[in-house]
Amino acid sequence: MSDLLKALPKIKNPTQQQAATSQTRPSAMPLTTANEDAGSSSDSSVSTSDSVNTLRPSSTTTSELKDQSQQQPPSPWSEYFASELWLESKTESENALFHVYLTPPADAAKGPLFICHHGAGASGMSFALFAAAVRRAMPGAGVCSLEARDHGSSVVTSAGSDGSSAEEAVDFSIETLVRDALTMIRLLCEKMGWAKLPPSVFVGHSLGGAVATHVAAGGSLGAQLVGFAVLDIVEGSAMEALLHMKTYLASRPSSFATVEAAIEWHTRSRTLRNAHSARASVPSLLVRCGDRWGWKTDLLRTQSYWEGWFSGMSGRFLRGRAAKDLLLAGTDRLDKELMVGQMQGKFQLTVIPEAGHFIQEDVPEKTAHLMIEFFKRNDRSAMVLPPKVSDLIAQGKKV
């Protein structure tokens, strides 16, 4: 899904594309570009009946993980994050071993913690360069990059009657993905010994943006969610892209001879416009298939859930119980609901025309700067309120 939005014009009929280009677009609403200041105007989480979070999984899952890691190319995660964590969760129906990358904030009470969720078909390494850029610009900040089920190294299996793992669980509904994200956040807090989540910004790219809007609209993270940001996805363009999803998936290579070939394809096709980012994130997308490398995530298996991912997203975004930021590579597909909401000042819109669909990978430094400024503008702990009149009178001061 993540690659499709920018590839969409190439998939459409060339005549239709030329005609669409020649049409006069409506004037854009007031907005900021990436080099301008941006401004904007809740307790964890879903619990499981028997959840345990550890740095190392149980013995059964360990063998599965070793088999999986032997089939995947090495990940350069240690260049961008302080640690990788395995968070184990068990319910009556599922056994999950979630995988996240983490650099904790220097002060959990002050934050910020940028919680990142990748798009469909991507992985937690999609935010690798962003994480490094955040730490350079704000050394005390933390970054947590979540990995969805069947993406990266996260493994979710159906639980057998005796509690053992059976076949791989195939449930990619938005409700399940949101529950997974909240579970990872809760288990992360337990692992780190945080009494509560640090002041956070939830940053979601593409499908991850849909997860972020659900979390914000549901108020599951309470006042600790300072704001949420959606990267290059809106309901209208997503629904349009779904019509061409199968065509796009059929048009990309099904496998590669080497990892280097996969990296080269991503940069040559302009799926990723930053070669450094491609080298960081692409290996985590691949799995050994005989003597070749194929895609780890089979997006066709998720087809029945595509529409549900984005249905109602615009309204949910506007209802989100935190400051809102929308980063786009272009404004041509903003739907009516968001256009009206932006003109009413309900959220901040920033356009980064030099980036492709993977904004956080193409321009990580700029994205990091924007997210840091977004947090600073909306951090409630930094607000200095005027003294109460009663306090001034008690101090004998005139009012």
Side-chain angles (χ1 to χ4, degrees), residues 8 11 74 84 115 143 184 202 222 248 252 269 280 283 358 363:
L8 187 56
I11 297 173
E84 62 174 349
I115 303 171
V143 182
M184 282 185 269
F202 200 130
Y248 166 73
R252 69 177 186 173
S269 65
F358 287 81
V363 287

Side-chain angles (χ1 to χ4, degrees), residues 232-298:
D232 208 49
I233 194 71
V234 295
E235 181 179 352
S237 62
M239 289 301 191
E240 179 185 355
L242 292 179
L243 300 175
H244 306 273
M245 183 67 164
K246 293 181 69 176
T247 302
Y248 166 73
L249 293 178
S251 69
R252 69 177 186 173
S254 59
S255 65
F256 303 92
T258 64
V259 175
E260 288 293 332
I263 294 172
E264 180 186 0
W265 177 82
H266 277 80
T267 55
R268 180 165 38 84
S269 65
R270 302 283 284 170
T271 300
L272 297 176
R273 303 183 181 187
N274 185 322
H276 187 184
S277 182
R279 300 195 68 84
S281 65
V282 170
S284 63
L285 310 181
L286 306 174
V287 65
R288 174 71 75 175
C289 301
D291 59 349
R292 296 181 66 82
W293 295 96
W295 303 102
K296 173 173 175 49
T297 304
D298 181 5

Side-chain angles (χ1 to χ4, degrees), residues 51-64:
S51 299
V52 182
N53 63 320
T54 59
L55 283 172
R56 293 292 178 266
S58 63
S59 57
T60 302
T61 315
T62 300
S63 61
E64 296 174 351

Side-chain angles (χ1 to χ4, degrees), residues 164-277:
S164 61
S165 296
E167 72 279 357
E168 186 174 6
V170 183
D171 180 2
F172 297 97
S173 66
I174 188 63
E175 292 79 12
T176 295
L177 296 177
V178 171
R179 184 172 65 248
D180 287 350
L182 292 173
T183 298
M184 282 185 269
I185 293 170
R186 178 178 59 81
L187 294 176
L188 177 65
C189 289
E190 293 178 6
K191 164 53 64 179
M192 299 305 296
W194 295 333
K196 59 181 179 179
L197 183 70
S200 299
V201 173
F202 200 130
V203 185
H205 171 249
S206 200
L207 171 59
V211 174
T213 59
H214 271 268
V215 170
S220 305
L221 300 181
Q224 296 307 104
L225 183 64
V226 175
F228 67 105
V230 173
L231 308 186
D232 208 49
I233 194 71
V234 295
E235 181 179 352
S237 62
M239 289 301 191
E240 179 185 355
L242 292 179
L243 300 175
H244 306 273
M245 183 67 164
K246 293 181 69 176
T247 302
Y248 166 73
L249 293 178
S251 69
R252 69 177 186 173
S254 59
S255 65
F256 303 92
T258 64
V259 175
E260 288 293 332
I263 294 172
E264 180 186 0
W265 177 82
H266 277 80
T267 55
R268 180 165 38 84
S269 65
R270 302 283 284 170
T271 300
L272 297 176
R273 303 183 181 187
N274 185 322
H276 187 184
S277 182

